[in-house]
Every structure is written in C-alpha cells, then in structure tokens.
Amino acid sequence: MPALETLHGLRVVASPAVLDTALWPDNATVLRLAPDDVFAIGATAEQAAHATAADPDAIIADESGFVGCWLDAGQLETVATHIEWHLPTQRPALAQGYVAGVPAKLWLDTDRALLLCASPYAADLIERLK
Amino acid sequence: MSDTTGAASPGRIVVDGRPIPYQAGDSVAVAVMRCGEHPKHGGTICLGGDCPNCSAIVDGVPYVRTCQTAATPGLVVRRHPAAGNPSFPAVAQPDITRSPVADHVDVRRETADIVVIGAGPSGAAAADAARAEGHEVMVLDARDSNEVVAIYGGPTVIVRRPNGMLHVHAHQVVVATGAAEIHPVCPGNNLRGIITARAAEQLHDAGVDLGNAVAIGTPPQGVPCTAVAGRIVRFEGTDTISAVVTMGDDGLEVTTPCITVIVGLGFAPRDMLSRMSGGLPVSVVGQAAEKFPLPPCPTAGTVCPCSRVEVEDLEGVWARGFHELELVKRASLCGTGTCQGGVCGPHLRSFVADRSGEVPEMFTARPASRQITLAEASADTYTDVFRRSPLHDEHLALGGQLDRFGGWWRPWNYGDHIAEYWAVREAVSLGDVSTLGKLVVSGPDAVELLERLYPTTVADIRPGRSRYVLLLNERGHLIDDGMICRETETRFVLTFTSGGAANAEMWVRDWAETWGLRVHVLDRTMSLAAINVTGPLASQLLQRVGLVDPPKFLQHRHDIVAGVPCHVMRLSFTGEASFELHHAVDRSVELWRALMEAGQDLGIKPHGLQALFGLRLEKGHVIVGMDSELDSTPRRLDMDWAVKMDKPDFLGKSALVRTAELPDHRRLFGFTMQGNAPTEGSPIWSDGNVVGHVASSFSSPLLGHAVMLGWLKHTPVPEQVQIDGRTASVAHPPFYDPEGRRARA
C-alpha cells in the first residue's frame, strides 16, 4: 500500500443548489462529501469563492485534515477485500464507508482511485491494510 | 478396537502426550479409535460431526470435533477432562493502553447465485438443477473442508476452512446437509464402545477392528457383527461396555456380552442451518427436509452429553412448570451445548411430546452451528477505532501513558501527574486538546440558531469575544458544554467536549434543518488540532513565540504563533491563564515543539488528563458525563448562573420552567476531606444511610486535602457526611481561587 500523505485542499460548505452548479478548474479533484459540503483538491480559495459566489454565506476553509493515497486497479482490488459494502460501478464516483473498520472515502476515477480518511484514523487504516 | 490394515503409518499425532500412528485418510477420531482409545472419555461415537463425543483440544483449540479433523503429522491433541470443561488458553493483555491483538484469521469473500450446502445426493441434484437453469452454483461440503457454520442476512454464508474463513454472499441458499443419527439415551450411555451404524461402516472401511460387536436396530452394511433384537434397556460395564441389555416384545431382558454396540436407531434432519435462517431465501432438500419419527421418550440416562443433562433433570424442570420446548431447554441447558441440540434435540422433543401430547417443533438455531474460535468468529471484523491526535507520537516520545477517552487516545500522564500539576499552577504547561469538538456555524440565521440552541444569550457576544455555554436537550438535561466564539456578525466557532462532539454536531445540524434556518455548518473537529497553553507564565511563553499581545480573558482572535496560523482563545479550565491555540493538524507537531523549546527555562511540562482532572476539580468545573448524570438539569448541577430564563425561548426552557417549582432532592455538591482522595464512585453516607456518591475526587497538592464533587440525593442536605470511613464537609466550589483572579491574570 502506498503511504498516506496529507491532502491539502479546501473545504467548501454552501447551499446544495450552489454546489450543484459550481464550476471548478479542470485540474481540481472535487469530492462532494455531502450535499452542502465539498473537499476540493487543486482549487484556490479564489476559485472556490467564484464557484460559490451565489452563496454569500458559504464557508471556505483550508483543509489539511485528510490523508490519502492514489491506488491503481490492483491496489484498489486489495483494498476492496477490506470493504463489506458494494463499490459503485459508475465512474467517477465518491464512495464513503468503513474500510477495514475505519471511516474512509474512495474517489473512484476511471483508471485509479483516491483512498482517504481523516488524519486521526490514518495510523489504524495503514495498520489494517498492511 | 484395533488396527487391521497392517499398513505403514504416514505419520503420528500426539494424544495426551503420547505419539500414536494414523493411516492415510484418518480423521483424528478414527486414528485414536484405531489405537483402542476413545477420543473423549465415553459416549456414543457418530463420526458425523453431529455430537460432542469426540471433541478435544487440538493444537490448543478446545471443542474441536476430531471426527472432522484430518490427522496430520505432529498434531497435538489433548482430550477434554473427564469431568468439567476444558480450560481455554490464557490471553495475555499486559498493556491495556494498546489495542488487543488476536490470532489472525484470513477471510475471503466470494459471491454466488446459489450456494448448495452439502455435496451428497440431494445436494448434487440441487446443484445440477440450478446449473441447468443457468445459475452460478457454489457447493460447500464439510468433507471438502468447507464447513458452513452460519447463515446470516443477505444471505451470507459463513464457511470455516483450514486456511481461514470464507464469506459467501449468495442470492439463494439450498441446505442439503442430510440427517444425523439418533444416539441412544439409557443408563450407561456414557460408556466407551457405543458407535452408530454409520460410524461402524467408516471404522470398518478404515480397517479398524470393532471386536465382539453387536448391532441393535438397523445394522451397518458390511460390518461383521451380531444383530440383537429388541430395544436397549441399558449398557453395562465400568468405563467400557461389557454387555448390552435389551428387551423384546415379550418384556424380558436379555443381556448380551460385547465390547462394541452398534446402534441404528433412526435419523433426525440435520437442519440447524435452515433453522437459523428464517425469512431468508433458504430452502431445504433431501433428508434435511424430512420428517423422521421421534425416538421413544427417554426414561433414564444422559440426554445432553454436552451439558451432561440427565432425564431426571428434565423431569425436575418439567415438575417446576416449564412445559414448552424452549423453556425446558433454557431451564435445563439441554440443547445449549456445543452440538446445539444435534444429539439431544430429538429426545427433548420426544420428552415434551410425551408429557404435553403435542410434538413441538425444534427450537430456533443461532449462529454458529459449530464451536468456532473467537478469532474465527471475529475474522474480518475490527475493534472500534480510537482516533489519534497529530501529537500522538510526541506524547509517546515524552513518556506519555496513553489511554482511551471519548473516542481518542489521550495522554493520561507523562509519568508524574503531580509534577505536571505544579507546572500548571506555578509555571507553564501544554495540554493536547485537539480532541475538542469544533464547529463553524455561518449564515444570516446563525444568531437565531444559537439563541434557540443555548440557554445563554448569544446576540450580545461581540465579535472577538466568547462565552461558556451549556447545551441542554428538550427536557432541560445537560448534554454537553463548551464555548461560543463569535467571529463576525454571522459567523461563530463552537466548541464541545471531546466525547460529545459527534452528537453535538448532529444536534446542531438537526435543529438547524428542523427550524429551516439559513446557516451552514462545518465540522472542524478532525481538521484542526488544539494546544492549551496554561499557567501563570503562559502569556510570557506566547510572547516569546510571537504572540506579542495575547488576548484577554474570554477574548479570541486569529494570529500567528511560532509561525503557525492559530485561532487563539483565552479561557480557563485549569484555573490558570489559558490559551487554546487551534491550528491546522499538519502544523501541530511544529507548534508543539516550538512551544516546548521556548518554554524550557520557564519550567514547561506537558500535562495529561490525570493532572487536568485534578486542576479543574479544584476549580469545581464539571465534566459532562463524569460529574453530570443523564437527567442533570443546570439546577441540579448548581449551574443556574449559565441559564438565562428571561430569554424568549431556548431548547429545554419549557421543561426548566415546568420543573423549577418542584422539589428536587438531587444536587451536585463539593466536598472536602482530610487525607487522600477516596475512589471515585465511593458511596456517601449520612446517619448510616447511603445518600449519594462521589463523582470526582482529587488529592489537592496545593490545598493539602481531598476535594470532591459528588451527588447528594436526599434532603435535608447535611453539613457533614462520611466517605471512605472518614468525615467530609459539604462545601461549595471553587476550592481554589474563588474570585478567578488567576484565570484572568
């Protein structure tokens, strides 16, 4: 398993309708954690503010509380043996649930996947996926 | 019994410390019987995996059915004790601050359209039929080392294999597990030398000489033996059978000398797996679905060899009024042992049918159908995760003794909690409070939301100021506490206790949604770390690392500390000047080390929870869940000062109004006592009666006596009580710096 590294990004909380139509840079990885909550990797605060301009009360905050690693197909298969729920078949997709008993998320892209969890869980996730 | 093959042995197993040879294909039970021994100490042997009479300790694992265990070179077998239960391996867990480590058992997951359990004729037919319909079929049979031990919802079929567990997710399950043979129940049925007809066939085929054998009932095929008519009355012998006594239709007893009795007494469906899968798409075929006649009602002898339940035990239970199968089972424990009714079930049903006049259905089965190890049962499951703060390794490096609190690993102390205490009271100390709940609430209705949520006034908190708050539920009971920090007119940062953070977040979100208020909520609990810099020299330390003008008491602001952007909150839980530095988790180690380095000549030390609990107790600060109870109102906690009843409304207000005039005999009080602090939880006595208990206690180094918070649940409240055999005085906290000068300094 690759090492889990801190994922630097932005947490953006805004109204679901605004996030539904928000435009993000092509190079950004945008994870919709909840209808009103986004974790955007690779976007600047200015871009986030622009994306959520229709919601003046949006919260935009630096986020370094997640750690993660990119997985190839074989590594994802290994991780999947530690998951009791069905992975979505659609791509891209964000899946959230327990991985090896640890609350985690999987951003499933076409040819790779980002495994991430909140940093307080990192040590256990690494240990359990060994 | 003895070996007749004369073949060279491929190896030896070790039984009770004695190496014994086995033949190719032998199970452990067959190998043991080949040597003339009984795999346990007596009782009918079926070799079908249906009874406990061959179970032994195999390679350290008790309750292994040796008829289902292949003999392999060097396998260590210890027979269970003749009386009592086998001892389980000692589990060493010397360090409770570490996660428990269990034997690792691999788990493989597979899927199948249809799982067929049992590869006998009916199972094979079911599998063929399913395949013909185009289904993907998986056949599992214990004889192929795929022993199904449970069926759960899904359905999910749990399989034990030599190299681990297999969890099969299926759309449909077919149980084709055949039938088990009926064991005899009569006096002497615990002797050695009784085998079922199928077992006799197996042993004969394996080249085991059964000696002078007689057969009663349906005889085995191809096994030399003498058939004896009639029903069994009793077996005779001391440890081993010497004769069997039967009775024919003429009513006369006939004694037949022998060393082996082969019994063919009929069958019972081996349907335990189907009985544990009610409501699931599970069907039963073949003998497992058949209705076999019950054996005669037992009149004497052991009914349940697992729990050694005798017929007279059942009669005693019946006489006491337990007249249903489930009740007889539970009252007698017949059917609750390792075979889960495999042996006793038919006899138990017959017993109840004889007395009640109705044949009861077999009782419900529950996983697992076989004795499995805890490691097998828990395979692929995980213990709860306890979160680690970003300073986890720093604590360990400083000698921190970590333990689990509120879902986190937290330092209890660093080896000397008294030294940590003095660092806070006289110098400066760091505490890791990263675990505190942290919520950002923003939006035009943020004030409205918080005014409704909290019993204190929120609108008058100016930006840059903060306030201590209680969080009450609709009944006015305390569910959490923390701080409100106002950042702007429409944005607030809320803090909560470490253990209550998750519930508090849901509480805030639920009510915001319920009330339809325009707010956004962002949980920062695991995104932000926090270090509490506390002590009379805290300001001095912070000035050294760049915070030139630290905020005043109950002020907060964003600033740079030791090069790290921080949200600095001035408050106090320890009773000394305290500054919480909330910052990004990935900068936490850097900030911690900078503070520790800068404070060396100031006597800086980290403090753990043990010191913190004492420090706050001297101030009389309540810890929610430790000092409070589930129905603690502010009045009971003597915290009415934190409730503004003149507010238009807040959650819990109507309950507080309603109960304000009612008498209340339960109150949290402070206590002082000479000597060491009593154990938390100690009863509080008055006039020979228990009137309450100690919630928190601490031997105060500064005050030189014990201080406590505790509940008194009777009125009138005495001035003095007895705790731990000593006299304690009821007092009103804070015990230390009651004017709060040091916190504000």
Side-chain angles (χ1 to χ4, degrees):
Chain A
M1 282 296 300
L4 298 176
E5 307 282 356
T6 298
L7 300 170
H8 293 280
L10 293 170
R11 278 298 275 287
V12 181
V13 176
S15 66
V18 168
L19 291 178
D20 284 345
T21 55
L23 295 175
W24 300 92
D26 289 341
N27 62 344
T29 301
V30 180
L31 312 183
R32 189 79 173 262
L33 305 183
D36 65 343
D37 189 356
V38 153
F39 177 41
I41 305 169
T44 65
E46 291 73 23
Q47 290 165 333
H50 186 260
T52 58
D55 185 348
D57 302 304
I59 302 171
I60 300 171
D62 288 331
E63 179 63 81
S64 57
F66 291 111
V67 294
C69 64
W70 286 98
L71 309 172
D72 61 26
Q75 291 163 334
L76 176 60
E77 196 171 321
T78 301
V79 169
T81 63
H82 295 271
I83 298 175
E84 291 194 38
W85 33 278
H86 290 290
L87 288 176
T89 52
Q90 181 187 337
R91 298 287 185 276
L94 177 67
Q96 305 185 83
Y98 280 101
V99 175
V102 176
K105 307 172 194 299
L106 276 166
W107 171 247
L108 300 160
D109 213 337
T110 48
D111 56 349
R112 61 179 188 160
L114 176 64
L115 170 67
L116 67 158
C117 70
S119 59
Y121 295 117
D124 282 286
L125 185 59
I126 293 167
E127 178 67 26
R128 292 174 181 196
L129 292 181
K130 269 182 183 172
Chain B
M1 297 181 196
S2 61
D3 179 42
T4 62
T5 63
S9 169
R12 299 195 296 183
I13 59 175
V14 181
V15 180
D16 289 343
R18 185 168 64 92
I20 66 169
Y22 63 85
Q23 294 296 327
D26 277 0
S27 65
V28 169
V30 169
V32 171
M33 296 178 78
R34 188 188 296 285
C35 292
E37 297 282 346
H38 191 285
K40 209 166 184 182
H41 293 280
T44 304
I45 294 294
C46 69
L47 299 184
D50 296 306
C51 78
N53 290 335
C54 68
S55 61
I57 302 169
V58 177
D59 276 351
V61 179
Y63 293 109
V64 174
R65 290 167 208 229
T66 58
C67 71
Q68 308 291 301
T69 307
T72 53
L75 199 69
V76 176
V77 180
R78 281 197 300 123
R79 286 185 291 183
H80 288 177
N85 298 315
S87 57
F88 285 90
V91 177
Q93 183 68 36
D95 183 356
I96 63 165
T97 65
R98 307 290 175 199
S99 293
V101 178
D103 293 338
H104 178 75
V105 173
D106 281 325
V107 175
R108 184 175 175 81
R109 293 179 183 280
E110 292 186 15
T111 58
D113 290 342
I114 297 176
V115 166
V116 177
I117 304 171
S122 57
D128 288 344
R131 287 194 187 98
E133 292 177 4
H135 293 293
E136 176 198 0
V137 179
M138 179 184 292
V139 178
L140 301 167
D141 193 295
R143 288 165 293 190
D144 301 326
S145 298
N146 289 310
E147 188 180 20
V148 176
V149 297
I151 301 174
Y152 284 101
T156 301
V157 180
I158 309 298
V159 189
R160 176 166 61 182
R161 306 203 291 193
N163 57 350
M165 303 298 284
L166 170 67
H167 294 186
V168 186
H169 302 277
H171 295 297
Q172 193 178 336
V173 177
V174 179
V175 174
T177 42
E181 293 175 280
I182 299 290
H183 288 220
V185 176
C186 62
N189 64 342
N190 289 315
L191 294 171
R192 304 178 186 190
I194 311 167
I195 58 175
T196 64
R198 284 183 189 162
E201 291 166 4
Q202 276 192 55
L203 291 166
H204 179 69
D205 291 347
V208 178
D209 180 7
L210 301 179
N212 175 20
V214 300
I216 298 170
T218 306
Q221 293 184 352
V223 180
C225 59
T226 303
V228 172
R231 65 177 180 84
I232 304 169
V233 177
R234 63 183 176 274
F235 299 104
E236 293 185 344
T238 49
D239 292 332
T240 304
I241 293 276
S242 60
V244 59
V245 178
T246 53
M247 180 182 287
D249 294 338
D250 56 7
L252 298 176
E253 290 188 358
V254 176
T255 301
T256 306
C258 58
I259 62 168
T260 302
V261 177
I262 303 169
V263 292
L265 305 179
F267 298 94
R270 202 183 270 142
D271 59 356
M272 200 183 309
L273 291 169
S274 64
R275 283 188 282 115
M276 71 172 65
S277 49
L280 299 175
V282 176
S283 55
V284 193
V285 298
Q287 285 192 312
E290 277 190 38
K291 300 285 187 189
F292 293 97
L294 290 177
C297 177
T299 55
T302 301
V303 182
C304 168
C306 300
S307 305
R308 280 297 180 109
V309 179
E310 306 290 320
V311 173
E312 63 181 8
D313 297 322
L314 299 184
E315 290 169 341
V317 164
W318 190 271
R320 279 181 283 146
F322 297 96
H323 291 174
E324 291 178 13
L325 186 76
E326 288 281 0
L327 297 178
V328 175
K329 169 192 165 188
R330 291 169 197 184
S332 68
L333 300 184
C334 188
T336 63
T338 182
C339 83
Q340 291 285 287
V343 171
C344 65
H347 299 289
L348 190 57
R349 291 177 67 205
S350 182
F351 176 88
V352 173
D354 178 73
R355 281 155 179 77
S356 67
E358 293 181 9
V359 178
E361 289 298 314
M362 189 59 174
F363 42 73
T364 303
R366 291 185 176 81
S369 64
R370 291 281 186 269
Q371 197 100 19
I372 58 176
T373 67
L374 287 175
E376 288 169 334
S378 63
D380 205 26
T381 61
Y382 297 93
T383 54
D384 288 343
V385 183
F386 283 79
R387 291 165 283 181
R388 301 182 188 195
S389 99
L391 297 168
H392 188 88
D393 291 340
E394 296 297 303
H395 301 318
L396 291 175
L398 290 164
Q401 301 294 309
L402 273 59
D403 209 337
R404 304 168 181 88
F405 292 92
W408 294 81
W409 287 104
R410 302 190 69 182
W412 176 239
N413 62 49
Y414 298 84
D416 183 353
H417 76 282
I418 298 300
E420 297 160 28
Y421 165 92
W422 284 119
V424 175
R425 283 281 178 260
E426 299 300 328
V428 62
S429 177
L430 302 185
D432 181 2
V433 291
S434 302
T435 59
L436 289 171
K438 313 169 200 79
L439 225 58
V440 178
V441 174
S442 177
D445 293 337
V447 171
E448 179 66 22
L449 170 67
L450 301 184
E451 287 284 12
R452 294 190 193 187
L453 277 178
Y454 288 110
T456 192
T457 314
V458 176
D460 63 350
I461 302 173
R462 285 173 286 148
R465 302 301 297 259
S466 58
R467 183 166 294 164
Y468 171 78
V469 285
L470 305 178
L471 193 62
L472 308 179
N473 64 16
E474 302 97 314
R475 295 176 180 176
H477 301 154
L478 180 67
I479 56 175
D480 208 24
D481 68 351
M483 301 294 295
I484 293 179
C485 302
R486 189 168 198 167
E487 300 222 271
T488 67
E489 289 300 317
T490 57
R491 182 169 301 205
F492 295 80
V493 171
L494 314 179
T495 66
F496 302 95
T497 63
S498 303
N503 281 335
E505 184 211 350
M506 289 189 285
W507 187 256
V508 172
R509 287 186 189 278
D510 279 355
W511 283 112
E513 190 171 321
T514 299
W515 290 325
L517 297 175
R518 294 166 298 161
V519 294
H520 295 309
V521 178
L522 174 58
D523 184 2
R524 304 289 278 163
T525 301
M526 290 192 276
S527 303
L528 298 177
I531 297 170
N532 184 28
V533 184
T534 180
L537 305 182
S539 293
Q540 192 177 337
L541 172 64
L542 290 172
Q543 286 165 351
R544 287 185 181 188
V545 291
L547 192 65
V548 177
D549 180 24
K552 303 291 185 292
F553 189 60
L554 294 181
Q555 291 182 352
H556 66 98
R557 72 165 185 270
H558 292 265
D559 213 324
I560 305 294
V561 181
V564 177
C566 291
H567 186 189
V568 185
M569 302 175 188
R570 172 81 186 268
L571 39 84
S572 182
F573 191 52
T574 63
E576 306 297 337
S578 302
F579 302 84
E580 280 183 12
L581 310 178
H582 293 228
H583 55 280
V585 289
D586 62 327
R587 305 292 300 274
S588 200
V589 171
E590 171 190 348
L591 179 59
W592 176 272
R593 290 180 178 175
L595 291 165
M596 288 295 289
E597 174 70 23
Q600 284 302 308
D601 64 314
L602 299 178
I604 193 169
K605 287 184 176 67
H607 64 269
L609 289 180
Q610 191 176 11
L612 181 65
F613 285 0
L615 290 156
R616 67 88 200 180
L617 183 50
E618 288 180 342
K619 287 293 293 179
H621 293 319
V622 164
I623 293 180
V624 178
M626 182 170 174
D627 301 306
S628 65
E629 299 185 331
L630 290 176
D631 59 352
S632 295
T633 57
R635 177 167 62 146
R636 288 174 177 166
L637 295 164
D638 198 21
M639 297 179 80
D640 283 334
W641 55 268
V643 177
K644 303 300 178 197
M645 292 300 286
D646 54 351
K647 282 180 62 174
D649 201 6
F650 59 85
L651 274 177
K653 181 180 178 182
S654 58
L656 295 182
V657 169
R658 195 170 58 247
T659 58
E661 302 306 319
L662 297 175
D664 197 345
H665 304 295
R666 288 190 286 163
R667 292 290 181 102
L668 186 72
F669 285 93
F671 301 87
T672 60
M673 188 169 75
Q674 294 303 313
N676 288 329
T679 305
E680 289 169 349
S682 295
I684 299 175
W685 298 79
S686 178
D687 292 334
N689 297 312
V690 174
V691 294
H693 72 273
V694 175
S696 301
S697 63
F698 182 59
S699 298
S700 170
L702 187 72
L703 302 173
H705 56 72
V707 294
M708 293 160 272
L709 288 175
W711 284 91
L712 290 180
K713 302 187 177 181
H714 294 272
T715 52
V717 175
E719 291 183 0
Q720 292 193 320
V721 294
Q722 280 70 49
I723 302 172
D724 197 24
R726 292 173 281 162
T727 298
S729 299
V730 178
H732 290 278
F735 308 103
Y736 170 75
D737 186 25
E739 293 81 23
R741 291 197 182 98
R742 294 180 69 90
R744 292 179 172 82

